[in-house]
Amino acid sequence: MHTLNVVWTFIIVATTSAFGQSIDTALSFYPLGRGDEWTYAYLPNFLAANPRLYTYTLKVEGDTTMPNGRTYKIISFQTSGHNWGNYAFQRIDSTTACVYQSDVFGAFETLFNSLLAPPNTVAGSIGTYDFVIEQAVFQNIRQVRHYGSLTQRAYELASGIGIIHIREYVGPMQLPYIHILTDAKINGTVYHLVTTIDRAFEQLPHVAELYQNYPNPFNPLTQIDFLVRERELVELRVYDMIGREIALLKSETMDPGLYSVTFDGSGLSTGVYHCRLNTGSSTFTKKMILIK
């Protein structure tokens, strides 16, 4: 099984941020309590003939004080009900709504997510806070934040639940590893996203998908991978920040498969560009940063 290198964090406090959102609202995306747990289906390759699906559970075990004098939450990693001795350690700065991850020795920590960061800014190692939408999660309409357009791991966080979806982009021309939340227990309430593990497949892309370019930021070459699930007309274009078309990379009818295109930004200036994939049924956009 692929080694899970996922950071999970959860928090609670109250006041109002400089960007107009309350800290309560921001922190609702990270519920935390002793005994809370999240179960995920983990799918390394969803295009394989017989894809193998794994499950694992993250559980809040309690608190611990590390040698640096700070108190962290202990999150255990379990598969098939067995605790393998793998733990994550997080703490929350309640005055800034920042979530930090520590190493096992309490000697080094990193900022995982500044929950008060405004959209289109880097929130921490989680990546860029891209946007928030409303969608059905556990039979209720919830706000869902999307993170990670500039990293190799993209997250979706639902209010009142936590992390519901992760895609790990492992490299050029490789399909992402997918983590889908199937069950959760928050403050004693049990939630079921799918009734069987097999139904997790229903949440995977059925037509096409555009993956984050790699590397990103880039100079001057970057690779853009995209997935086509059925034969259809596909257009791949690059735009600048004001919507002017910079390049037409693909415009043809394509068979199902994983494709890769190299984009050359040699003639462009440093800045943010958008790659857009249009198919007969869907449109996908990724942000790319050119740094010279």
Side-chain angles (χ1 to χ4, degrees), residues 7-9 26 28-30 112-113 115 126 131-133 135 137 142-147 154-166:
V7 181
W8 306 85
T9 51
S28 70
F29 291 87
Y30 288 87
F112 175 61
N113 193 354
L115 293 175
I126 192 173
F131 57 89
V132 61
I133 61 174
Q135 68 184 65
V137 179
R142 302 175 185 270
Q143 288 194 329
V144 176
R145 289 184 174 188
H146 289 244
Y147 290 85
Y155 294 82
E156 294 178 17
L157 282 63
S159 60
I161 301 297
I163 298 173
I164 62 171
H165 195 190
I166 298 174

PDB file of all heavy atoms in Angstrom, residues 7-9 26 28-30 112-113 115 126 131-133 135 137 142-147 154-166:
ATOM      1  N   VAL A   7      -1.628  15.215   5.958  1.00  0.00           N
ATOM      2  CA  VAL A   7      -1.730  15.967   7.193  1.00  0.00           C
ATOM      3  C   VAL A   7      -3.203  16.199   7.489  1.00  0.00           C
ATOM      4  O   VAL A   7      -3.952  16.622   6.635  1.00  0.00           O
ATOM      5  CB  VAL A   7      -1.016  17.325   7.065  1.00  0.00           C
ATOM      6  CG1 VAL A   7      -1.103  18.090   8.369  1.00  0.00           C
ATOM      7  CG2 VAL A   7       0.429  17.135   6.656  1.00  0.00           C
ATOM      8  N   TRP A   8      -3.620  15.934   8.726  1.00  0.00           N
ATOM      9  CA  TRP A   8      -5.016  16.102   9.112  1.00  0.00           C
ATOM     10  C   TRP A   8      -5.057  16.999  10.345  1.00  0.00           C
ATOM     11  O   TRP A   8      -4.379  16.741  11.326  1.00  0.00           O
ATOM     12  CB  TRP A   8      -5.639  14.749   9.448  1.00  0.00           C
ATOM     13  CG  TRP A   8      -5.451  13.792   8.333  1.00  0.00           C
ATOM     14  CD1 TRP A   8      -4.375  12.995   8.079  1.00  0.00           C
ATOM     15  CD2 TRP A   8      -6.363  13.560   7.273  1.00  0.00           C
ATOM     16  NE1 TRP A   8      -4.575  12.285   6.945  1.00  0.00           N
ATOM     17  CE2 TRP A   8      -5.778  12.606   6.422  1.00  0.00           C
ATOM     18  CE3 TRP A   8      -7.633  14.060   6.953  1.00  0.00           C
ATOM     19  CZ2 TRP A   8      -6.414  12.132   5.296  1.00  0.00           C
ATOM     20  CZ3 TRP A   8      -8.254  13.585   5.832  1.00  0.00           C
ATOM     21  CH2 TRP A   8      -7.637  12.634   5.023  1.00  0.00           C
ATOM     22  N   THR A   9      -5.907  18.028  10.317  1.00  0.00           N
ATOM     23  CA  THR A   9      -5.949  18.955  11.422  1.00  0.00           C
ATOM     24  C   THR A   9      -7.367  19.432  11.682  1.00  0.00           C
ATOM     25  O   THR A   9      -8.188  19.484  10.780  1.00  0.00           O
ATOM     26  CB  THR A   9      -5.057  20.164  11.140  1.00  0.00           C
ATOM     27  OG1 THR A   9      -5.408  20.664   9.873  1.00  0.00           O
ATOM     28  CG2 THR A   9      -3.608  19.798  11.147  1.00  0.00           C
ATOM     29  N   ALA A  26     -14.759  29.689  10.050  1.00  0.00           N
ATOM     30  CA  ALA A  26     -13.529  29.103   9.519  1.00  0.00           C
ATOM     31  C   ALA A  26     -13.205  27.781  10.192  1.00  0.00           C
ATOM     32  O   ALA A  26     -12.850  26.794   9.541  1.00  0.00           O
ATOM     33  CB  ALA A  26     -12.369  30.086   9.677  1.00  0.00           C
ATOM     34  N   SER A  28     -15.155  25.732  11.646  1.00  0.00           N
ATOM     35  CA  SER A  28     -16.136  24.660  11.485  1.00  0.00           C
ATOM     36  C   SER A  28     -15.672  23.611  10.481  1.00  0.00           C
ATOM     37  O   SER A  28     -16.213  22.507  10.451  1.00  0.00           O
ATOM     38  CB  SER A  28     -17.483  25.246  11.031  1.00  0.00           C
ATOM     39  OG  SER A  28     -17.404  25.727   9.690  1.00  0.00           O
ATOM     40  N   PHE A  29     -14.655  23.971   9.671  1.00  0.00           N
ATOM     41  CA  PHE A  29     -14.129  23.010   8.705  1.00  0.00           C
ATOM     42  C   PHE A  29     -13.188  22.003   9.367  1.00  0.00           C
ATOM     43  O   PHE A  29     -12.701  21.094   8.699  1.00  0.00           O
ATOM     44  CB  PHE A  29     -13.402  23.748   7.579  1.00  0.00           C
ATOM     45  CG  PHE A  29     -14.319  24.529   6.687  1.00  0.00           C
ATOM     46  CD1 PHE A  29     -14.670  25.838   7.004  1.00  0.00           C
ATOM     47  CD2 PHE A  29     -14.875  23.962   5.557  1.00  0.00           C
ATOM     48  CE1 PHE A  29     -15.524  26.562   6.206  1.00  0.00           C
ATOM     49  CE2 PHE A  29     -15.742  24.671   4.741  1.00  0.00           C
ATOM     50  CZ  PHE A  29     -16.070  25.976   5.070  1.00  0.00           C
ATOM     51  N   TYR A  30     -12.922  22.146  10.679  1.00  0.00           N
ATOM     52  CA  TYR A  30     -12.025  21.234  11.392  1.00  0.00           C
ATOM     53  C   TYR A  30     -12.593  20.851  12.761  1.00  0.00           C
ATOM     54  O   TYR A  30     -12.069  21.249  13.793  1.00  0.00           O
ATOM     55  CB  TYR A  30     -10.655  21.886  11.574  1.00  0.00           C
ATOM     56  CG  TYR A  30      -9.883  21.960  10.295  1.00  0.00           C
ATOM     57  CD1 TYR A  30     -10.044  23.034   9.438  1.00  0.00           C
ATOM     58  CD2 TYR A  30      -9.006  20.954   9.949  1.00  0.00           C
ATOM     59  CE1 TYR A  30      -9.350  23.096   8.247  1.00  0.00           C
ATOM     60  CE2 TYR A  30      -8.295  21.019   8.758  1.00  0.00           C
ATOM     61  CZ  TYR A  30      -8.485  22.089   7.918  1.00  0.00           C
ATOM     62  OH  TYR A  30      -7.787  22.134   6.742  1.00  0.00           O
ATOM     63  N   PHE A 112       0.226  24.149   8.536  1.00  0.00           N
ATOM     64  CA  PHE A 112      -0.558  23.380   7.577  1.00  0.00           C
ATOM     65  C   PHE A 112      -1.640  24.226   6.927  1.00  0.00           C
ATOM     66  O   PHE A 112      -1.809  24.211   5.709  1.00  0.00           O
ATOM     67  CB  PHE A 112      -1.188  22.168   8.266  1.00  0.00           C
ATOM     68  CG  PHE A 112      -2.121  21.389   7.378  1.00  0.00           C
ATOM     69  CD1 PHE A 112      -1.664  20.797   6.221  1.00  0.00           C
ATOM     70  CD2 PHE A 112      -3.460  21.263   7.698  1.00  0.00           C
ATOM     71  CE1 PHE A 112      -2.516  20.081   5.387  1.00  0.00           C
ATOM     72  CE2 PHE A 112      -4.329  20.549   6.880  1.00  0.00           C
ATOM     73  CZ  PHE A 112      -3.856  19.957   5.723  1.00  0.00           C
ATOM     74  N   ASN A 113      -2.385  24.981   7.740  1.00  0.00           N
ATOM     75  CA  ASN A 113      -3.484  25.744   7.168  1.00  0.00           C
ATOM     76  C   ASN A 113      -3.814  26.944   8.046  1.00  0.00           C
ATOM     77  O   ASN A 113      -4.087  26.794   9.237  1.00  0.00           O
ATOM     78  CB  ASN A 113      -4.728  24.856   7.037  1.00  0.00           C
ATOM     79  CG  ASN A 113      -5.806  25.477   6.166  1.00  0.00           C
ATOM     80  OD1 ASN A 113      -5.684  26.612   5.737  1.00  0.00           O
ATOM     81  ND2 ASN A 113      -6.863  24.724   5.914  1.00  0.00           N
ATOM     82  N   LEU A 115      -6.677  29.095   8.561  1.00  0.00           N
ATOM     83  CA  LEU A 115      -8.086  28.991   8.186  1.00  0.00           C
ATOM     84  C   LEU A 115      -8.744  30.333   7.920  1.00  0.00           C
ATOM     85  O   LEU A 115      -9.851  30.386   7.395  1.00  0.00           O
ATOM     86  CB  LEU A 115      -8.849  28.245   9.276  1.00  0.00           C
ATOM     87  CG  LEU A 115      -8.472  26.773   9.412  1.00  0.00           C
ATOM     88  CD1 LEU A 115      -9.173  26.144  10.592  1.00  0.00           C
ATOM     89  CD2 LEU A 115      -8.789  26.005   8.139  1.00  0.00           C
ATOM     90  N   ILE A 126      -0.944  23.094   2.994  1.00  0.00           N
ATOM     91  CA  ILE A 126      -2.130  22.572   2.309  1.00  0.00           C
ATOM     92  C   ILE A 126      -2.234  23.150   0.901  1.00  0.00           C
ATOM     93  O   ILE A 126      -2.885  22.583   0.038  1.00  0.00           O
ATOM     94  CB  ILE A 126      -3.408  22.888   3.108  1.00  0.00           C
ATOM     95  CG1 ILE A 126      -4.596  22.089   2.557  1.00  0.00           C
ATOM     96  CG2 ILE A 126      -3.713  24.371   3.117  1.00  0.00           C
ATOM     97  CD1 ILE A 126      -5.845  22.210   3.394  1.00  0.00           C
ATOM     98  N   PHE A 131     -11.271  28.180  -3.619  1.00  0.00           N
ATOM     99  CA  PHE A 131     -12.647  28.697  -3.631  1.00  0.00           C
ATOM    100  C   PHE A 131     -13.494  27.852  -2.690  1.00  0.00           C
ATOM    101  O   PHE A 131     -13.061  26.809  -2.188  1.00  0.00           O
ATOM    102  CB  PHE A 131     -13.239  28.665  -5.049  1.00  0.00           C
ATOM    103  CG  PHE A 131     -13.233  27.301  -5.692  1.00  0.00           C
ATOM    104  CD1 PHE A 131     -14.298  26.424  -5.522  1.00  0.00           C
ATOM    105  CD2 PHE A 131     -12.162  26.888  -6.478  1.00  0.00           C
ATOM    106  CE1 PHE A 131     -14.295  25.169  -6.106  1.00  0.00           C
ATOM    107  CE2 PHE A 131     -12.151  25.633  -7.075  1.00  0.00           C
ATOM    108  CZ  PHE A 131     -13.222  24.771  -6.893  1.00  0.00           C
ATOM    109  N   VAL A 132     -14.713  28.309  -2.441  1.00  0.00           N
ATOM    110  CA  VAL A 132     -15.662  27.574  -1.609  1.00  0.00           C
ATOM    111  C   VAL A 132     -16.982  27.472  -2.366  1.00  0.00           C
ATOM    112  O   VAL A 132     -17.406  28.427  -3.033  1.00  0.00           O
ATOM    113  CB  VAL A 132     -15.857  28.259  -0.235  1.00  0.00           C
ATOM    114  CG1 VAL A 132     -16.404  29.659  -0.395  1.00  0.00           C
ATOM    115  CG2 VAL A 132     -16.754  27.415   0.672  1.00  0.00           C
ATOM    116  N   ILE A 133     -17.608  26.308  -2.293  1.00  0.00           N
ATOM    117  CA  ILE A 133     -18.897  26.091  -2.936  1.00  0.00           C
ATOM    118  C   ILE A 133     -19.827  25.384  -1.956  1.00  0.00           C
ATOM    119  O   ILE A 133     -19.391  24.936  -0.890  1.00  0.00           O
ATOM    120  CB  ILE A 133     -18.776  25.233  -4.218  1.00  0.00           C
ATOM    121  CG1 ILE A 133     -18.205  23.834  -3.881  1.00  0.00           C
ATOM    122  CG2 ILE A 133     -17.933  25.935  -5.260  1.00  0.00           C
ATOM    123  CD1 ILE A 133     -18.202  22.888  -5.063  1.00  0.00           C
ATOM    124  N   GLN A 135     -22.367  22.113  -1.526  1.00  0.00           N
ATOM    125  CA  GLN A 135     -22.714  20.842  -2.133  1.00  0.00           C
ATOM    126  C   GLN A 135     -23.205  19.894  -1.053  1.00  0.00           C
ATOM    127  O   GLN A 135     -23.029  20.136   0.143  1.00  0.00           O
ATOM    128  CB  GLN A 135     -21.517  20.237  -2.868  1.00  0.00           C
ATOM    129  CG  GLN A 135     -20.382  19.783  -1.968  1.00  0.00           C
ATOM    130  CD  GLN A 135     -19.189  19.276  -2.745  1.00  0.00           C
ATOM    131  OE1 GLN A 135     -18.550  20.042  -3.472  1.00  0.00           O
ATOM    132  NE2 GLN A 135     -18.870  18.001  -2.588  1.00  0.00           N
ATOM    133  N   VAL A 137     -23.162  16.911   1.331  1.00  0.00           N
ATOM    134  CA  VAL A 137     -22.215  16.044   2.019  1.00  0.00           C
ATOM    135  C   VAL A 137     -22.961  15.415   3.189  1.00  0.00           C
ATOM    136  O   VAL A 137     -23.522  16.126   4.028  1.00  0.00           O
ATOM    137  CB  VAL A 137     -20.988  16.813   2.541  1.00  0.00           C
ATOM    138  CG1 VAL A 137     -20.034  15.874   3.272  1.00  0.00           C
ATOM    139  CG2 VAL A 137     -20.266  17.520   1.403  1.00  0.00           C
ATOM    140  N   ARG A 142     -23.629  21.582   2.558  1.00  0.00           N
ATOM    141  CA  ARG A 142     -22.567  22.171   3.372  1.00  0.00           C
ATOM    142  C   ARG A 142     -21.643  22.993   2.483  1.00  0.00           C
ATOM    143  O   ARG A 142     -21.562  22.766   1.278  1.00  0.00           O
ATOM    144  CB  ARG A 142     -21.747  21.078   4.073  1.00  0.00           C
ATOM    145  CG  ARG A 142     -22.560  20.163   4.973  1.00  0.00           C
ATOM    146  CD  ARG A 142     -21.687  19.045   5.534  1.00  0.00           C
ATOM    147  NE  ARG A 142     -22.468  18.085   6.300  1.00  0.00           N
ATOM    148  CZ  ARG A 142     -22.709  18.175   7.593  1.00  0.00           C
ATOM    149  NH1 ARG A 142     -22.181  19.185   8.276  1.00  0.00           N
ATOM    150  NH2 ARG A 142     -23.430  17.270   8.229  1.00  0.00           N
ATOM    151  N   GLN A 143     -20.931  23.916   3.112  1.00  0.00           N
ATOM    152  CA  GLN A 143     -19.880  24.617   2.393  1.00  0.00           C
ATOM    153  C   GLN A 143     -18.670  23.698   2.270  1.00  0.00           C
ATOM    154  O   GLN A 143     -18.291  23.023   3.233  1.00  0.00           O
ATOM    155  CB  GLN A 143     -19.486  25.902   3.115  1.00  0.00           C
ATOM    156  CG  GLN A 143     -20.519  27.002   3.029  1.00  0.00           C
ATOM    157  CD  GLN A 143     -19.960  28.334   3.454  1.00  0.00           C
ATOM    158  OE1 GLN A 143     -19.083  28.421   4.304  1.00  0.00           O
ATOM    159  NE2 GLN A 143     -20.472  29.409   2.848  1.00  0.00           N
ATOM    160  N   VAL A 144     -18.074  23.683   1.088  1.00  0.00           N
ATOM    161  CA  VAL A 144     -16.899  22.844   0.832  1.00  0.00           C
ATOM    162  C   VAL A 144     -15.795  23.731   0.268  1.00  0.00           C
ATOM    163  O   VAL A 144     -15.963  24.366  -0.773  1.00  0.00           O
ATOM    164  CB  VAL A 144     -17.221  21.698  -0.142  1.00  0.00           C
ATOM    165  CG1 VAL A 144     -15.957  20.902  -0.467  1.00  0.00           C
ATOM    166  CG2 VAL A 144     -18.282  20.783   0.446  1.00  0.00           C
ATOM    167  N   ARG A 145     -14.676  23.771   0.974  1.00  0.00           N
ATOM    168  CA  ARG A 145     -13.514  24.527   0.518  1.00  0.00           C
ATOM    169  C   ARG A 145     -12.613  23.651  -0.323  1.00  0.00           C
ATOM    170  O   ARG A 145     -12.401  22.480  -0.010  1.00  0.00           O
ATOM    171  CB  ARG A 145     -12.720  25.053   1.712  1.00  0.00           C
ATOM    172  CG  ARG A 145     -13.379  26.163   2.496  1.00  0.00           C
ATOM    173  CD  ARG A 145     -12.448  26.649   3.591  1.00  0.00           C
ATOM    174  NE  ARG A 145     -12.959  27.807   4.293  1.00  0.00           N
ATOM    175  CZ  ARG A 145     -12.250  28.496   5.171  1.00  0.00           C
ATOM    176  NH1 ARG A 145     -10.999  28.132   5.449  1.00  0.00           N
ATOM    177  NH2 ARG A 145     -12.783  29.539   5.778  1.00  0.00           N
ATOM    178  N   HIS A 146     -12.046  24.247  -1.379  1.00  0.00           N
ATOM    179  CA  HIS A 146     -11.096  23.554  -2.246  1.00  0.00           C
ATOM    180  C   HIS A 146      -9.718  24.181  -2.068  1.00  0.00           C
ATOM    181  O   HIS A 146      -9.560  25.399  -2.150  1.00  0.00           O
ATOM    182  CB  HIS A 146     -11.535  23.651  -3.709  1.00  0.00           C
ATOM    183  CG  HIS A 146     -12.747  22.832  -4.023  1.00  0.00           C
ATOM    184  ND1 HIS A 146     -12.729  21.771  -4.890  1.00  0.00           N
ATOM    185  CD2 HIS A 146     -14.013  22.915  -3.556  1.00  0.00           C
ATOM    186  CE1 HIS A 146     -13.929  21.232  -4.957  1.00  0.00           C
ATOM    187  NE2 HIS A 146     -14.736  21.913  -4.164  1.00  0.00           N
ATOM    188  N   TYR A 147      -8.747  23.334  -1.822  1.00  0.00           N
ATOM    189  CA  TYR A 147      -7.362  23.764  -1.617  1.00  0.00           C
ATOM    190  C   TYR A 147      -6.428  22.998  -2.561  1.00  0.00           C
ATOM    191  O   TYR A 147      -6.734  21.883  -2.977  1.00  0.00           O
ATOM    192  CB  TYR A 147      -6.898  23.469  -0.191  1.00  0.00           C
ATOM    193  CG  TYR A 147      -7.510  24.290   0.898  1.00  0.00           C
ATOM    194  CD1 TYR A 147      -8.726  23.928   1.458  1.00  0.00           C
ATOM    195  CD2 TYR A 147      -6.859  25.412   1.402  1.00  0.00           C
ATOM    196  CE1 TYR A 147      -9.288  24.675   2.490  1.00  0.00           C
ATOM    197  CE2 TYR A 147      -7.411  26.155   2.441  1.00  0.00           C
ATOM    198  CZ  TYR A 147      -8.631  25.784   2.978  1.00  0.00           C
ATOM    199  OH  TYR A 147      -9.180  26.509   3.994  1.00  0.00           O
ATOM    200  N   ALA A 154      -4.379  17.886  -3.635  1.00  0.00           N
ATOM    201  CA  ALA A 154      -5.545  18.758  -3.574  1.00  0.00           C
ATOM    202  C   ALA A 154      -6.515  18.238  -2.519  1.00  0.00           C
ATOM    203  O   ALA A 154      -6.753  17.027  -2.423  1.00  0.00           O
ATOM    204  CB  ALA A 154      -6.228  18.823  -4.932  1.00  0.00           C
ATOM    205  N   TYR A 155      -7.077  19.166  -1.729  1.00  0.00           N
ATOM    206  CA  TYR A 155      -7.977  18.815  -0.634  1.00  0.00           C
ATOM    207  C   TYR A 155      -9.349  19.443  -0.839  1.00  0.00           C
ATOM    208  O   TYR A 155      -9.472  20.531  -1.401  1.00  0.00           O
ATOM    209  CB  TYR A 155      -7.447  19.344   0.696  1.00  0.00           C
ATOM    210  CG  TYR A 155      -6.160  18.751   1.196  1.00  0.00           C
ATOM    211  CD1 TYR A 155      -4.931  19.196   0.729  1.00  0.00           C
ATOM    212  CD2 TYR A 155      -6.166  17.766   2.185  1.00  0.00           C
ATOM    213  CE1 TYR A 155      -3.740  18.678   1.215  1.00  0.00           C
ATOM    214  CE2 TYR A 155      -4.983  17.239   2.685  1.00  0.00           C
ATOM    215  CZ  TYR A 155      -3.772  17.705   2.193  1.00  0.00           C
ATOM    216  OH  TYR A 155      -2.592  17.192   2.683  1.00  0.00           O
ATOM    217  N   GLU A 156     -10.368  18.766  -0.301  1.00  0.00           N
ATOM    218  CA  GLU A 156     -11.687  19.355  -0.142  1.00  0.00           C
ATOM    219  C   GLU A 156     -12.083  19.216   1.328  1.00  0.00           C
ATOM    220  O   GLU A 156     -11.997  18.125   1.893  1.00  0.00           O
ATOM    221  CB  GLU A 156     -12.717  18.665  -1.036  1.00  0.00           C
ATOM    222  CG  GLU A 156     -12.462  18.873  -2.515  1.00  0.00           C
ATOM    223  CD  GLU A 156     -13.461  18.136  -3.391  1.00  0.00           C
ATOM    224  OE1 GLU A 156     -14.532  17.726  -2.872  1.00  0.00           O
ATOM    225  OE2 GLU A 156     -13.171  17.944  -4.583  1.00  0.00           O
ATOM    226  N   LEU A 157     -12.502  20.336   1.946  1.00  0.00           N
ATOM    227  CA  LEU A 157     -12.867  20.368   3.361  1.00  0.00           C
ATOM    228  C   LEU A 157     -14.313  20.802   3.490  1.00  0.00           C
ATOM    229  O   LEU A 157     -14.689  21.854   2.955  1.00  0.00           O
ATOM    230  CB  LEU A 157     -11.981  21.341   4.130  1.00  0.00           C
ATOM    231  CG  LEU A 157     -10.566  20.909   4.515  1.00  0.00           C
ATOM    232  CD1 LEU A 157      -9.694  20.632   3.303  1.00  0.00           C
ATOM    233  CD2 LEU A 157      -9.916  21.993   5.374  1.00  0.00           C
ATOM    234  N   ALA A 158     -15.123  20.023   4.191  1.00  0.00           N
ATOM    235  CA  ALA A 158     -16.533  20.344   4.380  1.00  0.00           C
ATOM    236  C   ALA A 158     -16.777  20.884   5.776  1.00  0.00           C
ATOM    237  O   ALA A 158     -16.222  20.385   6.757  1.00  0.00           O
ATOM    238  CB  ALA A 158     -17.401  19.105   4.144  1.00  0.00           C
ATOM    239  N   SER A 159     -17.626  21.891   5.872  1.00  0.00           N
ATOM    240  CA  SER A 159     -17.944  22.473   7.171  1.00  0.00           C
ATOM    241  C   SER A 159     -18.613  21.433   8.063  1.00  0.00           C
ATOM    242  O   SER A 159     -19.476  20.674   7.631  1.00  0.00           O
ATOM    243  CB  SER A 159     -18.866  23.683   6.998  1.00  0.00           C
ATOM    244  OG  SER A 159     -20.076  23.306   6.359  1.00  0.00           O
ATOM    245  N   GLY A 160     -18.166  21.387   9.311  1.00  0.00           N
ATOM    246  CA  GLY A 160     -18.722  20.456  10.277  1.00  0.00           C
ATOM    247  C   GLY A 160     -18.231  19.035  10.156  1.00  0.00           C
ATOM    248  O   GLY A 160     -18.568  18.193  10.994  1.00  0.00           O
ATOM    249  N   ILE A 161     -17.409  18.758   9.128  1.00  0.00           N
ATOM    250  CA  ILE A 161     -16.954  17.385   8.882  1.00  0.00           C
ATOM    251  C   ILE A 161     -15.436  17.285   8.860  1.00  0.00           C
ATOM    252  O   ILE A 161     -14.841  16.434   9.508  1.00  0.00           O
ATOM    253  CB  ILE A 161     -17.515  16.846   7.548  1.00  0.00           C
ATOM    254  CG1 ILE A 161     -19.047  16.864   7.578  1.00  0.00           C
ATOM    255  CG2 ILE A 161     -16.991  15.440   7.279  1.00  0.00           C
ATOM    256  CD1 ILE A 161     -19.664  15.967   8.640  1.00  0.00           C
ATOM    257  N   GLY A 162     -14.761  18.154   8.118  1.00  0.00           N
ATOM    258  CA  GLY A 162     -13.319  18.074   7.943  1.00  0.00           C
ATOM    259  C   GLY A 162     -12.965  17.697   6.512  1.00  0.00           C
ATOM    260  O   GLY A 162     -13.676  18.048   5.572  1.00  0.00           O
ATOM    261  N   ILE A 163     -11.882  16.982   6.345  1.00  0.00           N
ATOM    262  CA  ILE A 163     -11.399  16.618   5.012  1.00  0.00           C
ATOM    263  C   ILE A 163     -12.257  15.490   4.440  1.00  0.00           C
ATOM    264  O   ILE A 163     -12.380  14.425   5.036  1.00  0.00           O
ATOM    265  CB  ILE A 163      -9.930  16.203   5.060  1.00  0.00           C
ATOM    266  CG1 ILE A 163      -9.065  17.380   5.535  1.00  0.00           C
ATOM    267  CG2 ILE A 163      -9.441  15.726   3.689  1.00  0.00           C
ATOM    268  CD1 ILE A 163      -7.618  17.026   5.773  1.00  0.00           C
ATOM    269  N   ILE A 164     -12.836  15.737   3.273  1.00  0.00           N
ATOM    270  CA  ILE A 164     -13.714  14.739   2.664  1.00  0.00           C
ATOM    271  C   ILE A 164     -13.117  14.110   1.408  1.00  0.00           C
ATOM    272  O   ILE A 164     -13.604  13.077   0.943  1.00  0.00           O
ATOM    273  CB  ILE A 164     -15.103  15.324   2.323  1.00  0.00           C
ATOM    274  CG1 ILE A 164     -14.980  16.467   1.301  1.00  0.00           C
ATOM    275  CG2 ILE A 164     -15.807  15.783   3.586  1.00  0.00           C
ATOM    276  CD1 ILE A 164     -16.311  16.954   0.761  1.00  0.00           C
ATOM    277  N   HIS A 165     -12.078  14.727   0.850  1.00  0.00           N
ATOM    278  CA  HIS A 165     -11.563  14.244  -0.442  1.00  0.00           C
ATOM    279  C   HIS A 165     -10.128  14.728  -0.622  1.00  0.00           C
ATOM    280  O   HIS A 165      -9.820  15.885  -0.365  1.00  0.00           O
ATOM    281  CB  HIS A 165     -12.440  14.785  -1.564  1.00  0.00           C
ATOM    282  CG  HIS A 165     -12.239  14.094  -2.883  1.00  0.00           C
ATOM    283  ND1 HIS A 165     -12.775  14.559  -4.063  1.00  0.00           N
ATOM    284  CD2 HIS A 165     -11.571  12.972  -3.220  1.00  0.00           C
ATOM    285  CE1 HIS A 165     -12.434  13.768  -5.061  1.00  0.00           C
ATOM    286  NE2 HIS A 165     -11.706  12.800  -4.568  1.00  0.00           N
ATOM    287  N   ILE A 166      -9.253  13.822  -1.051  1.00  0.00           N
ATOM    288  CA  ILE A 166      -7.862  14.183  -1.350  1.00  0.00           C
ATOM    289  C   ILE A 166      -7.470  13.522  -2.664  1.00  0.00           C
ATOM    290  O   ILE A 166      -7.822  12.368  -2.926  1.00  0.00           O
ATOM    291  CB  ILE A 166      -6.893  13.701  -0.251  1.00  0.00           C
ATOM    292  CG1 ILE A 166      -7.221  14.350   1.085  1.00  0.00           C
ATOM    293  CG2 ILE A 166      -5.440  14.021  -0.626  1.00  0.00           C
ATOM    294  CD1 ILE A 166      -6.387  13.804   2.217  1.00  0.00           C
TER     295      ILE A 166
END
